[in-house]
Amino acid sequence: LLGVQVCLCPCPAMAREYFTHKGVLFPCLDYSPEKLSYVENEFQVRDDDIFNIAYLKSGTNWMLEILSLIRCDGDPGWVRSVLNWERAPWVESQLGLEAALKYPPPRLLCSHLPVQLFPKSLQRSKAKIIYTLRCPKDVLVSLYHFSKLLLLFKDPGSLDSFLEDFLSGNVPYGSWFDHVTGWMGLKGNENFFSITYEELQQDPWGSVRRICHFLGKELSEEQVAAVVENASFQSMKGNKMSNYSQQRDEFMDHQNGEFLRKGICGDWRNHLSEAQSQRFDTVYRERMSLGCTQAARGQ
Ligand code: A3P
């Protein structure tokens, strides 16, 4: 009997272990090949779904907060009373999928899945996709710190070895390069909107207005200001529904740092050596020119 139950307990054998699904790494804890296949092949995307999608550490939770607040016309009542992962579950995790299937429409959902593993039913739907990108060197540094905190992920080891893992896609959810080139292949589709973490930082008001426009939701200046204010780094850090302080101890080592770490652009300059930065640039040039060519050909 035990053998057929899904194990979500912190078994030492599963914590910090990965499995490979279609060439992409996933944590053993809270993920399974069966559920990933179900999500890809059977999960039904609805026309009124809004998907918040990003590679890890690219501002997914910031966008989740912005979308939650836009849904409530800037009123912070919902973001202060309901946990963020319940407001917008991650469809690919076992617990997130359960929550997504019970979610009364219109659904707000999150995903870090690369495009090739995303529900196929997206193609026949009018669901809206918001894709957030971030400077990959900042993603690398943020993921390095987060991997020490999140007990689903392996300890990252030295920054030098983690840099190589990141560049080769040997990290959960796979390669940043594949993720970005894959999703950006949807650019130009009327239901696809992309924005960068850096744009959100530089012009939060303009960014929120653009997101509202994409969603067909016009807010007043006061409501836009309320969205920006309540989704700020400081507001989220002080909100236990958004700062992951309520995450279970078996998922997160709260002694080892905070989810809302720095929230700035360019922190990689404080961590990467000149040689590490150049190594990154070399692979970036190779991978992005190849990726853009493949995306342009629709491959
Ligand atoms: P840092 O580790 O660089 O601080 P994700 O939500 O995709 O996991 O991304 C997490 C990163 O976004 C973290 O980056 C986190 O601090 C940052 N972040 C979260 N909310 C933010 C906000 N309101 N403003 C700026 N950065 C935010």
Side-chain angles (χ1 to χ4, degrees):
L1 208 140
L2 276 175
V4 295
Q5 284 180 336
V6 174
C7 180
L8 292 175
C9 64
C11 327
M14 290 179 80
R16 293 190 176 254
E17 292 295 326
Y18 299 148
F19 65 91
T20 303
H21 177 72
K22 297 192 166 182
V24 178
L25 289 182
F26 288 94
C28 292
L29 201 57
D30 200 23
Y31 294 78
S32 76
E34 294 76 24
K35 289 283 158 58
L36 288 169
S37 290
Y38 174 87
V39 168
E40 184 186 344
N41 298 306
E42 285 166 68
F43 184 85
Q44 290 305 309
V45 172
R46 295 176 50 96
D47 286 344
D48 54 1
D49 283 342
I50 296 173
F51 278 96
N52 170 31
I53 300 177
Y55 187 78
L56 305 164
K57 313 319 291 173
S58 300
T60 332
N61 284 273
W62 189 6
M63 184 57 75
L64 191 172
E65 206 76 352
I66 290 171
L67 295 173
S68 302
L69 286 156
I70 290 176
R71 179 161 283 200
C72 301
D73 303 329
D75 185 320
W78 196 37
V79 300
R80 290 187 189 158
S81 58
V82 179
L83 287 161
N84 52 0
W85 63 83
E86 290 175 4
R87 278 183 262 129
W90 263 258
V91 281
E92 62 268 19
S93 74
Q94 305 200 52
L95 294 172
L97 176 60
E98 268 174 46
L101 292 172
K102 285 189 213 140
Y103 200 122
R107 301 184 294 193
L108 188 53
L109 300 169
C110 293
S111 180
H112 288 312
L113 283 174
V115 71
Q116 73 277 15
L117 299 182
F118 199 75
K120 289 195 173 108
S121 56
L122 174 69
Q123 289 161 13
R124 313 184 286 277
S125 88
K126 297 193 181 85
K128 289 192 157 62
I129 303 278
I130 295 175
Y131 187 69
T132 309
L133 303 95
R134 185 182 191 186
C135 162
K137 289 182 182 171
D138 281 337
V139 171
L140 162 77
V141 167
S142 181
L143 186 57
Y144 178 73
H145 288 98
F146 188 59
S147 302
K148 298 180 184 177
L149 179 67
L150 191 73
L151 297 171
L152 280 70
F153 290 2
K154 287 190 176 161
D155 183 278
S158 72
L159 185 55
D160 241 354
S161 68
F162 190 69
L163 170 68
E164 292 308 320
D165 285 339
F166 184 86
L167 293 175
S168 60
N170 190 27
V171 287
Y173 286 98
S175 156
W176 178 89
F177 303 98
D178 292 345
H179 204 280
V180 168
T181 53
W183 277 107
M184 290 307 280
L186 270 61
K187 203 174 166 150
N189 179 325
E190 62 175 335
N191 295 319
F192 180 83
F193 174 90
S194 62
I195 192 162
T196 65
Y197 180 96
E198 291 72 21
E199 287 172 297
L200 289 170
Q201 287 275 13
Q202 280 155 19
D203 182 10
W205 290 269
S207 300
V208 169
R209 270 190 228 106
R210 284 172 54 210
I211 297 164
C212 286
H213 184 72
F214 171 69
L215 295 175
K217 173 122 186 173
E218 295 309 324
L219 298 187
S220 68
E221 283 305 297
E222 291 73 29
Q223 289 169 332
V224 169
V227 172
V228 171
E229 168 56 28
N230 289 296
S232 71
F233 186 79
Q234 287 312 327
S235 298
M236 284 179 64
K237 209 171 164 69
N239 179 1
K240 66 179 194 300
M241 296 296 156
S242 308
N243 63 14
Y244 282 92
S245 58
Q246 305 302 301
Q247 183 56 283
R248 302 184 197 176
D249 289 345
E250 61 257 41
F251 282 3
M252 214 173 241
D253 180 357
H254 295 285
Q255 312 305 316
N256 229 346
E258 283 185 63
F259 172 78
L260 285 132
R261 191 183 60 93
K262 279 198 179 171
I264 58 169
C265 298
D267 189 40
W268 65 267
R269 293 176 194 282
N270 300 318
H271 292 83
L272 298 193
S273 67
E274 191 53 36
Q276 288 169 330
S277 173
Q278 281 180 12
R279 164 90 182 117
F280 199 114
D281 292 343
T282 304
V283 176
Y284 182 92
R285 274 193 298 272
E286 283 167 16
R287 291 299 318 271
M288 293 314 270
S289 58
L290 183 66
C292 292
T293 315
Q294 285 177 339
R297 285 199 209 116
Q299 292 172 333

